Amino acid sequence: MVARIDLHEEQMSVLKELEALLGAGQVLTGEAASPFLVDWRRRYQGQALAVVRPGSTEEVAAVVRLCNLHAVPVVPQGGNTGMCGGATPDESGRAVVLCLTRLNKVRAIDTDNDTMTVEAGCILQSLQEVARAAGRLFPLSLAAEGSCTIGGNLATNAGGTQVLRYGNTRELALGLEVVTAEGEIWHGLRGLRKDNTGYDLRDLFIGSEGTLGIITAATLKLYPLPVAQRTAMLALNTMEDAVTVLSRARAGFGASLTGFEVMAGPVLQAVVRLFPQQRLPFEGASAQSPWFALLELSDSESAEHAQERFESVLGAAIEDGLVTDAAIAENIAQSKAMWHLRESIPLAEAELGKSIKHDVSIPISLIAKFVQTTNAALQVKFPGIQNIVFGHLGDGNLHYNVARAPHQTEQDLLAMQYDVYGLVHDSVHAHSGSISAEHGVGQLKRDELTRYKSPLELKLMKQIKDALDPKGLMNPGKVLQS
Ligand code: FAD
Ligand code: 2HG
Ligand code: ZN
């Protein structure tokens, strides 16, 4: 009993010290804190001592030092769009949620070096716009770009729809500024393309989901804007055909192939049913196609050059019966409408109720077999269960999601989620894949990870965690068990 009162008193004093550091308006509790305590998918509801909103790297460091002193766990949060519950605290109410969104300055743009240095709380879409205004492309692109932050993108090593050409967020980062678990500031904002000076700390923090330290700023790569783009939606009969078209598009377009997404027919058909203001660019039988692909070419020469290459690859694919119908966007509005259809899938899925998500990667050569065998095995074990399959085929990354059978409730589905994970992830493993391609691990896949990583990998990961966060206060219980 005495211990509980002591704890409470210490918590009260931490709250007062946080208010003294940041000002009372930046230390949220009660109702004001509640939107920060639930994840985007509404799968996790946490509690926290407070949500704090520092306005500078120095303030982030001061908060972390204070938390370190009082052994208070720190849960970093950006736009809170993560898919794995990584930014949601546990239910103990001991943690401080450290929200980075006030760190939102673009510190520098260097068009000679083709870099920009930005703070972690910048919204991804605003960075794309800043780059474009400077005549450059910042290619990271995902449906949450209107609310996710670059700090969250780096912390999860986010992927998205342009990875095929430009790589994951890791490939777009040259330097980082990080507040360590002990509240020191690592000034690693280098804009160098080459730097072999020992262990790569930058790459340790990227993808660590806030478990090793807090990213406060980054120096990012910029690219030339494409001169012309062509976008097409293709109707296909099978996933095998989609893989063959992808392979031809790679060969025909080379580095100009910037996007290749795949979507099961019923998934896109659900999007237009739920959001009637959107339309498929097909009529009749083509609109009922079992599969669709979205293809984008970005050309650095001219619109004519783009058109020529596009027509030659697509024309041959249609002639050979790989593509049953093709809609080519005639202008930017049509291209945007095609991307909007694709990017509306997670929202449509959320409208349909809670689902079981599997963000997996498989060698592209095995993807069709994976889908076929896993669909069949799921139906045997969970009759009537529905597949929601779509994803970044060009990266071998499928969102192999599963929704309830018509006779089931949401609760029925969630009750069997670990059995479903087991079946799907075992199949992923058997097909030499990964159980997390781009969303990370968070709390959702933490225990699943132990089934597929080797004991040595897990031991080395734990040693890194212990070395950088000796008190275990950085986002505890995420990625690894605390
Ligand atoms: P948050 O959700 O706030 O945090 C995510 C993780 O990063 C947490 O573990 C958090 O603790 C940590 N973190 C956040 N900021 C920092 C920081 N500054 N320093 C250290 N740790 C930090 N993801 C993809 O990869 N590809 C997609 O195509 C994609 N599409 C999406 C579409 C929709 C509609 C939605 C809702 C999500 C999508 N996501 C996608 C997932 C999500 O948007 C990304 O994971 C994104 O990178 C998270 O950014 P955030 O700022 O919202 O991070
Ligand atoms: C996407 O590609 C995102 O749209 C979200 O990664 C995937 O909702 C999902 O499962
Ligand atoms: Zn995705």
mmCIF file of all heavy atoms in Angstrom, residues 40 76-83 86-87 100 120 142-144 148-149 151-153 155-156 158-160 209-210 213-215 346 392 438-439 475, ligand 1:
data_model
loop_
_atom_site.group_PDB
_atom_site.id
_atom_site.type_symbol
_atom_site.label_atom_id
_atom_site.label_comp_id
_atom_site.label_asym_id
_atom_site.label_seq_id
_atom_site.Cartn_x
_atom_site.Cartn_y
_atom_site.Cartn_z
ATOM 1 N N TRP A 40 -4.774 3.416 -34.956
ATOM 2 C CA TRP A 40 -5.615 3.723 -36.130
ATOM 3 C C TRP A 40 -6.666 2.641 -36.372
ATOM 4 O O TRP A 40 -7.800 2.927 -36.715
ATOM 5 C CB TRP A 40 -4.724 3.877 -37.369
ATOM 6 C CG TRP A 40 -5.449 4.370 -38.592
ATOM 7 C CD1 TRP A 40 -5.710 5.673 -38.918
ATOM 8 C CD2 TRP A 40 -6.033 3.575 -39.641
ATOM 9 N NE1 TRP A 40 -6.396 5.734 -40.105
ATOM 10 C CE2 TRP A 40 -6.615 4.465 -40.578
ATOM 11 C CE3 TRP A 40 -6.121 2.199 -39.899
ATOM 12 C CZ2 TRP A 40 -7.265 4.036 -41.734
ATOM 13 C CZ3 TRP A 40 -6.768 1.766 -41.053
ATOM 14 C CH2 TRP A 40 -7.338 2.677 -41.961
ATOM 15 N N PRO A 76 7.242 6.816 -28.277
ATOM 16 C CA PRO A 76 7.200 7.858 -29.300
ATOM 17 C C PRO A 76 5.974 7.685 -30.195
ATOM 18 O O PRO A 76 5.544 6.558 -30.456
ATOM 19 C CB PRO A 76 8.479 7.631 -30.124
ATOM 20 C CG PRO A 76 9.263 6.589 -29.411
ATOM 21 C CD PRO A 76 8.337 5.850 -28.500
ATOM 22 N N GLN A 77 5.448 8.800 -30.648
ATOM 23 C CA GLN A 77 4.300 8.743 -31.563
ATOM 24 C C GLN A 77 4.407 9.856 -32.602
ATOM 25 O O GLN A 77 4.756 10.984 -32.279
ATOM 26 C CB GLN A 77 2.988 8.889 -30.778
ATOM 27 C CG GLN A 77 1.762 8.621 -31.623
ATOM 28 C CD GLN A 77 0.463 8.661 -30.799
ATOM 29 O OE1 GLN A 77 -0.254 9.653 -30.853
ATOM 30 N NE2 GLN A 77 0.176 7.598 -30.071
ATOM 31 N N GLY A 78 4.146 9.504 -33.867
ATOM 32 C CA GLY A 78 4.120 10.500 -34.938
ATOM 33 C C GLY A 78 2.667 10.755 -35.314
ATOM 34 O O GLY A 78 1.895 11.323 -34.546
ATOM 35 N N GLY A 79 2.277 10.296 -36.504
ATOM 36 C CA GLY A 79 0.905 10.521 -36.965
ATOM 37 C C GLY A 79 -0.083 9.492 -36.455
ATOM 38 O O GLY A 79 -1.276 9.591 -36.725
ATOM 39 N N ASN A 80 0.410 8.474 -35.749
ATOM 40 C CA ASN A 80 -0.443 7.410 -35.193
ATOM 41 C C ASN A 80 -1.232 6.676 -36.282
ATOM 42 O O ASN A 80 -2.398 6.342 -36.094
ATOM 43 C CB ASN A 80 -1.393 7.984 -34.124
ATOM 44 C CG ASN A 80 -1.930 6.897 -33.207
ATOM 45 O OD1 ASN A 80 -1.391 5.778 -33.164
ATOM 46 N ND2 ASN A 80 -2.993 7.197 -32.477
ATOM 47 N N THR A 81 -0.582 6.445 -37.407
ATOM 48 C CA THR A 81 -1.231 5.673 -38.480
ATOM 49 C C THR A 81 -0.661 4.264 -38.589
ATOM 50 O O THR A 81 -1.014 3.518 -39.506
ATOM 51 C CB THR A 81 -1.051 6.355 -39.856
ATOM 52 O OG1 THR A 81 0.342 6.310 -40.216
ATOM 53 C CG2 THR A 81 -1.509 7.796 -39.857
ATOM 54 N N GLY A 82 0.229 3.898 -37.693
ATOM 55 C CA GLY A 82 0.887 2.590 -37.760
ATOM 56 C C GLY A 82 -0.122 1.453 -37.678
ATOM 57 O O GLY A 82 -1.196 1.591 -37.085
ATOM 58 N N MET A 83 0.242 0.329 -38.278
ATOM 59 C CA MET A 83 -0.678 -0.799 -38.400
ATOM 60 C C MET A 83 -0.446 -1.869 -37.329
ATOM 61 O O MET A 83 -1.154 -2.871 -37.312
ATOM 62 C CB MET A 83 -0.500 -1.457 -39.778
ATOM 63 C CG MET A 83 -0.998 -0.610 -40.925
ATOM 64 S SD MET A 83 -2.765 -0.841 -41.085
ATOM 65 C CE MET A 83 -3.209 0.320 -42.346
ATOM 66 N N GLY A 86 2.331 -0.051 -32.580
ATOM 67 C CA GLY A 86 3.644 0.353 -32.063
ATOM 68 C C GLY A 86 3.629 1.663 -31.293
ATOM 69 O O GLY A 86 4.453 1.889 -30.414
ATOM 70 N N ALA A 87 2.689 2.545 -31.605
ATOM 71 C CA ALA A 87 2.680 3.868 -30.973
ATOM 72 C C ALA A 87 1.683 3.945 -29.816
ATOM 73 O O ALA A 87 1.451 5.016 -29.262
ATOM 74 C CB ALA A 87 2.348 4.930 -32.021
ATOM 75 N N LEU A 100 5.587 13.715 -31.558
ATOM 76 C CA LEU A 100 6.635 14.493 -32.246
ATOM 77 C C LEU A 100 6.078 15.542 -33.195
ATOM 78 O O LEU A 100 6.848 16.230 -33.865
ATOM 79 C CB LEU A 100 7.511 13.525 -33.056
ATOM 80 C CG LEU A 100 8.672 12.749 -32.398
ATOM 81 C CD1 LEU A 100 9.683 13.718 -31.778
ATOM 82 C CD2 LEU A 100 8.232 11.742 -31.396
ATOM 83 N N ALA A 120 11.318 15.446 -37.511
ATOM 84 C CA ALA A 120 10.610 14.153 -37.516
ATOM 85 C C ALA A 120 9.098 14.272 -37.613
ATOM 86 O O ALA A 120 8.433 13.373 -38.119
ATOM 87 C CB ALA A 120 10.974 13.376 -36.252
ATOM 88 N N LEU A 142 2.523 6.827 -49.668
ATOM 89 C CA LEU A 142 1.604 5.813 -49.129
ATOM 90 C C LEU A 142 0.273 6.465 -48.809
ATOM 91 O O LEU A 142 0.199 7.685 -48.666
ATOM 92 C CB LEU A 142 2.181 5.096 -47.903
ATOM 93 C CG LEU A 142 2.912 5.861 -46.827
ATOM 94 C CD1 LEU A 142 2.391 5.459 -45.477
ATOM 95 C CD2 LEU A 142 4.378 5.509 -46.911
ATOM 96 N N ALA A 143 -0.753 5.635 -48.693
ATOM 97 C CA ALA A 143 -2.105 6.202 -48.562
ATOM 98 C C ALA A 143 -2.267 7.042 -47.300
ATOM 99 O O ALA A 143 -3.131 7.911 -47.251
ATOM 100 C CB ALA A 143 -3.129 5.075 -48.590
ATOM 101 N N ALA A 144 -1.428 6.814 -46.289
ATOM 102 C CA ALA A 144 -1.550 7.596 -45.047
ATOM 103 C C ALA A 144 -0.734 8.883 -45.124
ATOM 104 O O ALA A 144 -0.554 9.549 -44.097
ATOM 105 C CB ALA A 144 -1.091 6.738 -43.864
ATOM 106 N N CYS A 148 0.641 10.649 -41.770
ATOM 107 C CA CYS A 148 1.816 10.028 -41.147
ATOM 108 C C CYS A 148 2.993 11.009 -41.176
ATOM 109 O O CYS A 148 3.020 11.942 -41.974
ATOM 110 C CB CYS A 148 2.179 8.709 -41.834
ATOM 111 S SG CYS A 148 2.717 8.867 -43.545
ATOM 112 N N THR A 149 3.945 10.799 -40.287
ATOM 113 C CA THR A 149 5.095 11.710 -40.201
ATOM 114 C C THR A 149 6.344 11.013 -40.733
ATOM 115 O O THR A 149 6.433 9.779 -40.723
ATOM 116 C CB THR A 149 5.370 12.096 -38.737
ATOM 117 O OG1 THR A 149 5.693 10.906 -38.004
ATOM 118 C CG2 THR A 149 4.168 12.782 -38.099
ATOM 119 N N GLY A 151 9.135 10.935 -39.264
ATOM 120 C CA GLY A 151 9.746 10.207 -38.140
ATOM 121 C C GLY A 151 9.151 8.813 -38.017
ATOM 122 O O GLY A 151 9.861 7.821 -37.806
ATOM 123 N N GLY A 152 7.824 8.719 -38.158
ATOM 124 C CA GLY A 152 7.154 7.411 -38.108
ATOM 125 C C GLY A 152 7.550 6.558 -39.302
ATOM 126 O O GLY A 152 7.746 5.341 -39.187
ATOM 127 N N ASN A 153 7.690 7.184 -40.474
ATOM 128 C CA ASN A 153 8.114 6.444 -41.678
ATOM 129 C C ASN A 153 9.499 5.846 -41.462
ATOM 130 O O ASN A 153 9.754 4.692 -41.809
ATOM 131 C CB ASN A 153 8.150 7.347 -42.910
ATOM 132 C CG ASN A 153 6.849 8.058 -43.227
ATOM 133 O OD1 ASN A 153 6.849 9.175 -43.709
ATOM 134 N ND2 ASN A 153 5.728 7.428 -42.935
ATOM 135 N N ALA A 155 10.960 5.317 -38.515
ATOM 136 C CA ALA A 155 10.943 4.370 -37.390
ATOM 137 C C ALA A 155 10.381 3.016 -37.801
ATOM 138 O O ALA A 155 10.732 1.987 -37.223
ATOM 139 C CB ALA A 155 10.145 4.958 -36.232
ATOM 140 N N THR A 156 9.473 3.014 -38.810
ATOM 141 C CA THR A 156 8.914 1.738 -39.274
ATOM 142 C C THR A 156 9.563 1.266 -40.574
ATOM 143 O O THR A 156 9.187 0.224 -41.097
ATOM 144 C CB THR A 156 7.390 1.862 -39.528
ATOM 145 O OG1 THR A 156 7.163 2.925 -40.477
ATOM 146 C CG2 THR A 156 6.621 2.154 -38.258
ATOM 147 N N ALA A 158 9.023 2.491 -43.510
ATOM 148 C CA ALA A 158 7.811 2.306 -44.317
ATOM 149 C C ALA A 158 8.142 2.059 -45.796
ATOM 150 O O ALA A 158 9.189 2.477 -46.296
ATOM 151 C CB ALA A 158 6.929 3.554 -44.185
ATOM 152 N N GLY A 159 7.217 1.386 -46.457
ATOM 153 C CA GLY A 159 7.402 1.044 -47.877
ATOM 154 C C GLY A 159 6.529 1.927 -48.755
ATOM 155 O O GLY A 159 6.893 3.039 -49.089
ATOM 156 N N GLY A 160 5.353 1.422 -49.130
ATOM 157 C CA GLY A 160 4.448 2.213 -49.969
ATOM 158 C C GLY A 160 4.522 1.799 -51.422
ATOM 159 O O GLY A 160 4.929 0.681 -51.751
ATOM 160 N N GLU A 209 11.380 1.175 -34.622
ATOM 161 C CA GLU A 209 10.037 1.413 -34.070
ATOM 162 C C GLU A 209 10.066 2.077 -32.693
ATOM 163 O O GLU A 209 9.265 1.741 -31.810
ATOM 164 C CB GLU A 209 9.235 0.098 -34.046
ATOM 165 C CG GLU A 209 9.098 -0.531 -35.428
ATOM 166 C CD GLU A 209 8.250 -1.788 -35.437
ATOM 167 O OE1 GLU A 209 7.167 -1.782 -34.846
ATOM 168 O OE2 GLU A 209 8.679 -2.783 -36.048
ATOM 169 N N GLY A 210 11.005 2.979 -32.509
ATOM 170 C CA GLY A 210 11.060 3.729 -31.253
ATOM 171 C C GLY A 210 11.600 2.944 -30.076
ATOM 172 O O GLY A 210 11.538 3.402 -28.940
ATOM 173 N N GLY A 213 15.607 4.598 -29.546
ATOM 174 C CA GLY A 213 15.824 6.037 -29.373
ATOM 175 C C GLY A 213 14.764 6.778 -30.165
ATOM 176 O O GLY A 213 13.920 6.156 -30.814
ATOM 177 N N ILE A 214 14.842 8.102 -30.114
ATOM 178 C CA ILE A 214 13.811 8.911 -30.778
ATOM 179 C C ILE A 214 14.436 9.698 -31.919
ATOM 180 O O ILE A 214 15.373 10.473 -31.709
ATOM 181 C CB ILE A 214 13.147 9.849 -29.760
ATOM 182 C CG1 ILE A 214 12.464 8.967 -28.704
ATOM 183 C CG2 ILE A 214 12.148 10.778 -30.430
ATOM 184 C CD1 ILE A 214 11.892 9.706 -27.562
ATOM 185 N N ILE A 215 13.914 9.487 -33.106
ATOM 186 C CA ILE A 215 14.405 10.218 -34.282
ATOM 187 C C ILE A 215 13.790 11.618 -34.237
ATOM 188 O O ILE A 215 12.559 11.751 -34.147
ATOM 189 C CB ILE A 215 14.001 9.481 -35.575
ATOM 190 C CG1 ILE A 215 14.651 8.083 -35.610
ATOM 191 C CG2 ILE A 215 14.380 10.304 -36.810
ATOM 192 C CD1 ILE A 215 14.078 7.158 -36.674
ATOM 193 N N PRO A 346 -7.540 0.124 -47.781
ATOM 194 C CA PRO A 346 -7.537 -0.012 -46.310
ATOM 195 C C PRO A 346 -8.770 0.627 -45.658
ATOM 196 O O PRO A 346 -9.288 0.107 -44.668
ATOM 197 C CB PRO A 346 -6.262 0.725 -45.880
ATOM 198 C CG PRO A 346 -5.395 0.752 -47.087
ATOM 199 C CD PRO A 346 -6.307 0.774 -48.271
ATOM 200 N N HIS A 392 1.777 -4.644 -53.002
ATOM 201 C CA HIS A 392 2.832 -4.076 -53.828
ATOM 202 C C HIS A 392 3.561 -5.237 -54.522
ATOM 203 O O HIS A 392 4.647 -5.641 -54.092
ATOM 204 C CB HIS A 392 3.774 -3.259 -52.946
ATOM 205 C CG HIS A 392 3.048 -2.423 -51.909
ATOM 206 N ND1 HIS A 392 2.365 -1.279 -52.245
ATOM 207 C CD2 HIS A 392 2.868 -2.577 -50.573
ATOM 208 C CE1 HIS A 392 1.828 -0.754 -51.142
ATOM 209 N NE2 HIS A 392 2.113 -1.534 -50.118
ATOM 210 N N GLU A 438 6.495 -4.406 -44.470
ATOM 211 C CA GLU A 438 6.670 -2.950 -44.432
ATOM 212 C C GLU A 438 6.031 -2.285 -43.219
ATOM 213 O O GLU A 438 6.340 -1.141 -42.927
ATOM 214 C CB GLU A 438 6.140 -2.305 -45.725
ATOM 215 C CG GLU A 438 4.659 -2.559 -45.966
ATOM 216 C CD GLU A 438 4.057 -1.751 -47.102
ATOM 217 O OE1 GLU A 438 4.778 -1.045 -47.796
ATOM 218 O OE2 GLU A 438 2.823 -1.846 -47.281
ATOM 219 N N HIS A 439 5.148 -2.960 -42.508
ATOM 220 C CA HIS A 439 4.450 -2.288 -41.394
ATOM 221 C C HIS A 439 5.201 -2.381 -40.079
ATOM 222 O O HIS A 439 4.882 -1.665 -39.137
ATOM 223 C CB HIS A 439 3.047 -2.875 -41.206
ATOM 224 C CG HIS A 439 2.131 -2.601 -42.351
ATOM 225 N ND1 HIS A 439 0.953 -3.279 -42.545
ATOM 226 C CD2 HIS A 439 2.215 -1.715 -43.385
ATOM 227 C CE1 HIS A 439 0.349 -2.827 -43.630
ATOM 228 N NE2 HIS A 439 1.111 -1.882 -44.170
ATOM 229 N N ASN A 475 9.917 2.549 -25.608
ATOM 230 C CA ASN A 475 8.804 1.794 -26.201
ATOM 231 C C ASN A 475 8.812 0.314 -25.790
ATOM 232 O O ASN A 475 8.820 -0.593 -26.644
ATOM 233 C CB ASN A 475 8.839 1.923 -27.732
ATOM 234 C CG ASN A 475 7.440 1.902 -28.321
ATOM 235 O OD1 ASN A 475 6.432 1.811 -27.599
ATOM 236 N ND2 ASN A 475 7.345 1.990 -29.629
HETATM 237 P P1 FAD B 1 3.156 6.155 -35.764
HETATM 238 O O1 FAD B 1 2.010 5.291 -36.079
HETATM 239 O O2 FAD B 1 2.903 7.311 -34.876
HETATM 240 O O3 FAD B 1 4.329 5.275 -35.123
HETATM 241 C C1 FAD B 1 4.746 4.080 -35.741
HETATM 242 C C2 FAD B 1 5.935 3.501 -34.944
HETATM 243 O O4 FAD B 1 7.058 4.368 -35.041
HETATM 244 C C3 FAD B 1 5.681 3.346 -33.463
HETATM 245 O O5 FAD B 1 6.390 2.237 -32.989
HETATM 246 C C4 FAD B 1 6.246 4.626 -32.855
HETATM 247 O O6 FAD B 1 6.635 4.434 -31.504
HETATM 248 C C5 FAD B 1 7.433 4.871 -33.747
HETATM 249 N N1 FAD B 1 7.769 6.280 -33.950
HETATM 250 C C6 FAD B 1 6.987 7.259 -34.488
HETATM 251 N N2 FAD B 1 7.687 8.396 -34.605
HETATM 252 C C7 FAD B 1 8.931 8.147 -34.123
HETATM 253 C C8 FAD B 1 10.118 8.920 -33.988
HETATM 254 N N3 FAD B 1 10.165 10.188 -34.373
HETATM 255 N N4 FAD B 1 11.206 8.338 -33.450
HETATM 256 C C9 FAD B 1 11.190 7.022 -33.067
HETATM 257 N N5 FAD B 1 10.090 6.245 -33.166
HETATM 258 C C10 FAD B 1 8.983 6.807 -33.699
HETATM 259 N N6 FAD B 1 2.839 1.612 -44.280
HETATM 260 C C11 FAD B 1 3.658 1.237 -45.278
HETATM 261 O O7 FAD B 1 4.809 0.873 -45.026
HETATM 262 N N7 FAD B 1 3.233 1.235 -46.580
HETATM 263 C C12 FAD B 1 1.991 1.618 -46.914
HETATM 264 O O8 FAD B 1 1.629 1.595 -48.087
HETATM 265 C C13 FAD B 1 1.119 2.048 -45.882
HETATM 266 N N8 FAD B 1 -0.131 2.461 -46.173
HETATM 267 C C14 FAD B 1 -0.952 2.838 -45.157
HETATM 268 C C15 FAD B 1 -2.252 3.242 -45.472
HETATM 269 C C16 FAD B 1 -3.120 3.624 -44.471
HETATM 270 C C17 FAD B 1 -4.506 4.072 -44.823
HETATM 271 C C18 FAD B 1 -2.691 3.606 -43.117
HETATM 272 C C19 FAD B 1 -3.599 4.029 -42.012
HETATM 273 C C20 FAD B 1 -1.413 3.187 -42.803
HETATM 274 C C21 FAD B 1 -0.536 2.799 -43.810
HETATM 275 N N9 FAD B 1 0.764 2.378 -43.541
HETATM 276 C C22 FAD B 1 1.596 2.008 -44.542
HETATM 277 C C23 FAD B 1 1.223 2.286 -42.153
HETATM 278 C C24 FAD B 1 1.737 3.630 -41.572
HETATM 279 O O9 FAD B 1 1.235 4.714 -42.228
HETATM 280 C C25 FAD B 1 3.242 3.699 -41.634
HETATM 281 O O10 FAD B 1 3.752 2.690 -40.811
HETATM 282 C C26 FAD B 1 3.835 5.046 -41.211
HETATM 283 O O11 FAD B 1 5.223 4.987 -41.475
HETATM 284 C C27 FAD B 1 3.642 5.382 -39.743
HETATM 285 O O12 FAD B 1 3.952 6.743 -39.532
HETATM 286 P P2 FAD B 1 3.323 7.524 -38.283
HETATM 287 O O13 FAD B 1 3.941 8.868 -38.227
HETATM 288 O O14 FAD B 1 1.855 7.477 -38.310
HETATM 289 O O15 FAD B 1 3.892 6.639 -37.080
#
